[in-house]
Amino acid sequence: MKTIVILFAISFVAVLGHPELTDEDIAKHKEHHESCMNENGLNESTVVNKWKDDNDEKLNCYKTCLLKKSGTMNADGKIDVEVARANLEKKDIASEKIEEMINACKDVTGTGCEMGRDVFKCFMQFYPQE
Ligand SMILES: *[C@@H]1O[C@H](CO)[C@@H](O)[C@H](O)[C@H]1NC(C)=O
């Protein structure tokens, strides 16, 4: 269960009640998750256990990989506001909060995989902690 919670948390999905999310959305997310783990030599337990370790380069690259695959980060390493908004709208998040999140996080910059880490960190501030 913990894995599922994390898996969903990282794609900005709260845990329960998401009628807007199709099976296809979920399947796509799982595929991104798996290929990003493979690319970075990570496994499920490392991702879960090290999620909050900001200094783990592999984890940071995994986070960056997820953002790229979902299109939230474009090829130039910038946040694609339209895609980010569309992804967030599929979750159960109030639209004012979405705008707040996007405004706060769209200009996050960083070198290499630190970018992904910082973008996630920024978005996660808007989620209640476990
Ligand atoms: C996951 O990877 C870590 C670090 O490489 C390793 O210690 C651990 O045994 C692996 N766990 C599984 C379930 O494969």
Side-chain angles (χ1 to χ4, degrees):
M1 188 59 195
K2 194 180 177 199
T3 304
I4 300 293
V5 172
I6 299 278
L7 184 61
F8 281 176
I10 59 189
S11 75
F12 316 140
V13 187
V15 185
L16 296 170
H18 288 286
E20 310 85 347
L21 275 180
T22 62
D23 288 351
E24 196 191 331
D25 290 328
I26 292 169
K28 208 184 274 175
H29 178 68
K30 278 199 180 137
E31 187 191 305
H32 294 166
H33 166 66
E34 271 156 24
S35 59
C36 291
M37 281 196 302
N38 288 340
E39 269 179 35
N40 294 292
L42 293 170
N43 62 32
E44 201 91 31
S45 57
T46 326
V47 169
V48 173
N49 292 327
K50 292 207 170 166
W51 179 254
K52 288 184 176 155
D53 181 353
D54 283 345
N55 297 314
D56 192 294
E57 179 71 8
K58 284 181 177 179
L59 244 293
N60 292 342
C61 289
Y62 164 84
K63 292 173 187 174
T64 305
C65 173
L66 284 183
L67 291 171
K68 284 187 179 161
K69 288 207 191 287
S70 68
T72 305
M73 190 191 289
N74 66 24
D76 301 333
K78 295 215 165 86
I79 298 298
D80 184 321
V81 171
E82 296 312 314
V83 175
R85 184 181 289 120
N87 284 337
L88 290 167
E89 278 170 353
K90 288 182 182 171
K91 326 299 194 270
D92 194 12
I93 305 173
S95 53
E96 309 85 72
K97 195 169 177 184
I98 293 180
E99 292 314 311
E100 206 184 317
M101 291 170 86
I102 288 178
N103 284 329
C105 304
K106 68 177 165 41
D107 295 324
V108 169
T109 54
T111 313
C113 293
E114 289 174 8
M115 167 91 185
R117 172 194 72 189
D118 293 343
V119 169
F120 264 101
K121 219 178 191 178
C122 182
F123 279 123
M124 294 302 269
Q125 303 171 68
F126 292 89
Y127 283 81
Q129 296 297 300
E130 292 171 50

